[in-house]
Amino acid sequence: MIHHDVIIVGGGLSGLRAAIEAKRAGLDVAILSQVHPGRSHSGAAQGGINAALGNHPDGHDDTWEKHAFDTTKGGDYLGDQDAIMKMTQDAIRVIYEMDHWGCPFSRYEDGRITQRPFGGAGFPRCCYGADKTGHYLLHTLVEQSYKFGVKLYVEQYVSKLIVHDGVCQGVIAYDMIRGGFEAFTAHAVVIATGGSGRIYENSTNALINTGGGMAMAYQAGVPLKDMEFIQFHPTGLFTTKILMTEGARGEGGYLLNGLGERYMEKYAPKFMELAPRDIVARAGQTEINEGRGINGMPYVHLDLRHLGAEKILERLPGIRDLAIHFEGVDPIEEPIPVVPSQHYTMGGIDTNYDGATPMPGLWAAGECACVSVHGANRLGGNSLLETIVFGRRSGADVVRYMEGLSGKRPPNPRTADAALRAMEDKVDALHRAKGTEDAYKLRTEMALVTRDYFGVFRDEATMAAGLEKLLDVKARSKNVGLRVSTGAFNLDMIRTLDLESMIDVALCMAAGAVNRTESRGAHFRTDHNKRDDANWLKHTLAFYRPDEAGPRLDFKPVTLGTFEPQERVY
Ligand SMILES: Cc1cc2nc3c(=O)[nH]c(=O)nc-3n(C[C@H](O)[C@H](O)[C@H](O)COP(=O)(O)OP(=O)(O)OC[C@H]3O[C@@H](n4cnc5c(N)ncnc54)[C@H](O)[C@@H]3O)c2cc1C
């Protein structure tokens, strides 16, 4: 058994930032991460991070209040406005802190950080480092975590929370390098495991984004909030769904249909290609569905040619490389074939704006959490911001919690031992089971159901059929087995355990989507195509039921107060 004051699960931007905050207050902090922090999905972020710095020539009048308004409207008024204000107000300080810590942002001639226009934003407020912003931010925080002396356990797969009398007291982790499970006890645990994009087959996300952290909290009794809101990014590469950043449109890229038309004129005449993602994704899908894809094919074009080689090479070099290597198209010469693709999980573990979950001892930050600042649709550039702002706030709240703990009573060793044994027994039982079902096939089946039944456009009959299919996959997943139960790098075991998490997360998404009989942000129903504030201006909460396949749903009010809900026009 290993003990630390604080355990952070996940070494992406949010986990690193939480760890640094707790560590520099003098706590003993450890990060457990399935991959080296520098390989977290945060590093794949391209386009940028929002803050109302007002550096852009067209952005001098920008303020954090305007950023808050754009975020609230972009989220179709489902975001909690107090949390949104905290995020947009903190944003400016956070960017300068990252700057001072050495993040190599792109700059104007006078040295100030450059900003580009991004979707749904009234001003160009997206700060960036070429098209590698996530990579730069992530490596800056990895360096800082080394500097502050955060203890790192790399290639640890966390599979379960240790809970004693309703209080989180640690985690159980599989040591991928040495093999075998270990109990890690702590006074405070922060889950920072990122999104669950891989529950969809057509995702821009890393393979590791399976929603494991969400499932751990959910199975321990913490509700998942607003899981029906899944973001589809308008421009994933047609073949692989690898992301072509919104920054490409921020730099002036066009979206074209098979008739060569800039079709956004019909859907968002003012904002055009830079309308919020839900609107641009629906537009692209409509063009495809109505037969105006390119040469009758199910994709549209992202055209950057008019930007010229110099701008593409300076501002979008990574995008060009990805398009060449994964689609065989050089954007300097040809338009890029793109399709709407699953991109982001607006929902997640229910937290307040200090990252605290309803369970004492447990916090969550980053994409796995739902604070909620993104509401029903996240604006591009706000997720990187969320990870750092709420990573820091979670770390600070952990520090306050620890100060209030009288005598720091150690976690209960018997509970930790029992949780460890339960995990080992579970894996043994999977090994003993003959396994009539194949975990890999079930995972693919599930990911095709989410893609085909819970996509950009949704309706009752399709979703109800999809929900039935997910319940069937869950029932059959009880009959999977393990070929090997021991040893190092047992990826077969990890993927089999992931399957259970992914199905639970998918069921929360599906149940919430069927239940919400309105259209709001990214959740668009052809059978209820209007927003319905009278009945649905509320958060969905999904609670785990050990004896039933799907969740119990409940609701929670949205924090309003500053911006009155109005019609969303762009
Ligand atoms: C291709 C792409 C481009 C994007 N571009 C932008 C952008 O330009 N601007 C923007 O604002 N947002 C962008 N986003 C969204 C944003 O990057 C993510 O939401 C954000 O980086 C998530 O950070 P995180 O800290 O929550 O998690 P991640 O960075 O995903 O890190 C998760 C961590 O958890 C660990 N982990 C996961 N499961 C376990 C487990 N069971 N046990 C132990 N460890 C575990 C992993 O090892 C990893 O370290 C983009 C997303 C993608 C996919």
Side-chain angles (χ1 to χ4, degrees):
M1 200 173 302
I2 298 171
H3 179 78
H4 293 279
D5 287 342
V6 184
I7 284 186
I8 316 269
V9 186
L13 283 172
S14 50
L16 288 166
R17 191 61 189 81
I20 290 167
E21 197 64 17
K23 180 68 193 178
R24 67 179 180 181
L27 297 178
D28 160 28
V29 182
I31 291 179
L32 271 64
S33 186
Q34 193 173 347
V35 297
H36 183 276
R39 296 187 59 85
S40 304
H41 187 62
S42 292
Q46 304 164 348
I49 173 166
N50 294 335
L53 303 185
N55 286 352
H56 190 282
D58 299 333
H60 294 325
D61 294 335
D62 201 8
T63 62
W64 65 263
E65 290 93 340
K66 290 175 183 167
H67 184 185
F69 171 73
D70 289 344
T71 302
T72 307
K73 179 179 170 190
D76 225 349
Y77 296 90
L78 191 72
D80 287 330
Q81 294 183 15
D82 51 352
I84 292 172
M85 302 285 210
K86 296 225 179 296
M87 179 175 80
T88 60
Q89 199 170 7
D90 271 5
I92 297 163
R93 198 168 63 84
V94 153
I95 296 294
Y96 288 128
E97 184 177 66
M98 292 303 294
D99 186 30
H100 295 162
W101 279 347
C103 181
F105 287 110
S106 296
R107 303 197 178 256
Y108 294 113
E109 299 254 299
D110 64 3
R112 285 175 309 147
I113 294 169
T114 47
Q115 299 191 273
R116 58 166 53 120
F118 240 55
F123 293 91
R125 68 166 73 94
C126 193
C127 311
Y128 60 93
D131 56 1
K132 300 183 173 68
T133 316
H135 181 79
Y136 294 160
L137 293 169
L138 187 63
H139 284 264
T140 303
L141 285 191
V142 169
E143 283 172 7
Q144 292 300 314
S145 72
Y146 289 156
K147 186 181 98 186
F148 285 106
V150 172
K151 168 89 182 149
L152 263 181
Y153 294 90
V154 176
E155 291 177 319
Q156 295 279 341
Y157 173 78
V158 175
S159 57
K160 193 181 164 71
L161 299 179
I162 300 170
V163 181
H164 178 79
D165 278 348
V167 178
C168 185
Q169 295 194 337
V171 300
I172 304 295
Y174 165 67
D175 183 333
M176 295 167 68
I177 299 172
R178 280 180 291 277
F181 285 89
E182 179 65 90
F184 288 79
T185 57
H187 296 285
V189 173
V190 182
I191 302 183
T193 47
S196 60
R198 282 285 155 183
I199 66 168
Y200 276 77
E201 192 271 344
N202 55 334
S203 177
T204 65
N205 284 198
L207 293 171
I208 193 182
N209 290 7
T210 53
M214 294 178 187
M216 261 176 255
Y218 171 65
Q219 289 158 2
V222 178
L224 298 186
K225 186 161 79 195
D226 293 339
M227 292 300 287
E228 59 269 36
F229 295 99
I230 296 287
Q231 178 161 84
F232 296 90
H233 196 290
T235 60
L237 282 181
F238 175 55
T239 315
T240 54
K241 318 301 177 251
I242 288 174
L243 186 77
M244 295 287 101
T245 174
E246 189 167 292
R249 283 171 283 134
E251 294 296 345
Y254 295 154
L255 287 171
L256 303 176
N257 64 15
L259 304 172
E261 297 165 339
R262 276 180 79 186
Y263 56 81
M264 284 311 299
E265 265 165 16
K266 288 182 284 186
Y267 303 92
K270 198 159 139 229
F271 277 62
M272 295 291 286
E273 281 88 354
L274 287 178
R277 288 181 183 164
D278 57 332
I279 293 172
V280 186
R282 279 197 291 279
Q285 195 62 52
T286 303
E287 294 299 307
I288 292 168
N289 292 353
E290 295 181 356
R292 291 185 297 279
I294 307 298
N295 297 326
M297 294 285 286
Y299 62 80
V300 290
H301 270 154
L302 172 63
D303 194 353
L304 307 182
R305 288 173 297 179
H306 56 287
L307 302 181
E310 196 184 333
K311 192 168 186 183
I312 293 176
L313 293 172
E314 186 207 323
R315 305 271 177 91
L316 302 165
I319 287 303
R320 176 170 181 252
D321 283 348
L322 290 171
I324 290 174
H325 294 306
F326 292 94
E327 201 67 43
V329 163
D330 182 349
I332 293 176
E333 314 280 344
E334 286 174 86
I336 313 166
V338 291
V339 280
S341 311
Q342 191 289 340
H343 182 58
Y344 187 81
T345 322
M346 260 78 72
I349 301 165
D350 179 29
T351 74
N352 65 13
Y353 56 60
D354 287 322
T357 73
M359 177 180 279
L362 185 68
W363 285 255
E367 193 171 335
C368 69
C370 181
V371 175
S372 106
V373 284
H374 308 304
N377 170 65
R378 169 175 78 87
L379 291 188
N382 268 352
S383 175
L384 290 179
L385 178 60
E386 173 192 23
T387 61
I388 301 181
V389 166
F390 293 101
R392 187 186 73 76
R393 294 187 72 91
S394 302
D397 202 47
V398 163
V399 174
R400 286 191 292 273
Y401 172 82
M402 294 287 290
E403 283 165 1
L405 277 189
S406 54
K408 282 199 194 171
R409 205 148 40 90
N412 187 302
R414 274 199 299 275
T415 304
D417 244 1
L420 176 62
R421 255 178 290 115
M423 195 65 228
E424 288 168 344
D425 290 349
K426 177 173 173 173
V427 170
D428 281 346
L430 277 170
H431 184 46
R432 279 196 310 276
K434 284 286 162 276
T436 50
E437 293 283 350
D438 180 315
Y440 298 83
K441 282 197 185 131
L442 288 181
R443 175 172 167 157
T444 307
E445 203 175 315
M446 171 206 63
L448 290 171
V449 172
T450 50
R451 183 194 70 181
D452 295 339
Y453 293 77
F454 299 90
V456 173
F457 291 108
R458 303 168 166 190
D459 67 76
E460 175 80 33
T462 311
M463 288 192 294
L467 183 56
E468 280 307 309
K469 284 182 186 291
L470 290 177
L471 290 169
D472 177 57
V473 171
K474 168 127 185 175
R476 282 154 54 211
S477 73
K478 306 278 180 225
N479 302 326
V480 298
L482 265 185
R483 282 162 273 218
V484 188
S485 66
T486 54
F489 283 98
N490 189 343
L491 295 180
D492 193 28
M493 180 187 76
I494 290 180
R495 303 245 159 86
T496 305
L497 294 175
D498 274 347
L499 176 70
E500 184 185 339
S501 309
M502 293 173 90
I503 296 177
D504 274 348
V505 170
L507 279 168
C508 291
M509 181 277 293
V514 173
N515 197 52
R516 187 176 280 271
T517 48
E518 65 157 352
S519 288
R520 186 184 294 273
H523 175 65
F524 191 91
R525 294 186 55 148
T526 51
D527 52 349
H528 295 276
N529 62 5
K530 291 272 177 311
R531 193 174 82 198
D532 175 2
D533 286 340
N535 293 303
W536 286 107
L537 186 53
K538 57 188 179 187
H539 298 294
T540 304
L541 295 178
F543 288 88
Y544 184 61
R545 293 187 293 188
D547 301 327
E548 297 202 37
R552 171 177 74 79
L553 297 182
D554 203 343
F555 304 96
K556 175 168 158 174
V558 174
T559 308
L560 302 167
T562 307
F563 308 114
E564 278 305 308
Q566 24 169 291
E567 201 193 341
R568 220 165 139 246
V569 189
Y570 287 94

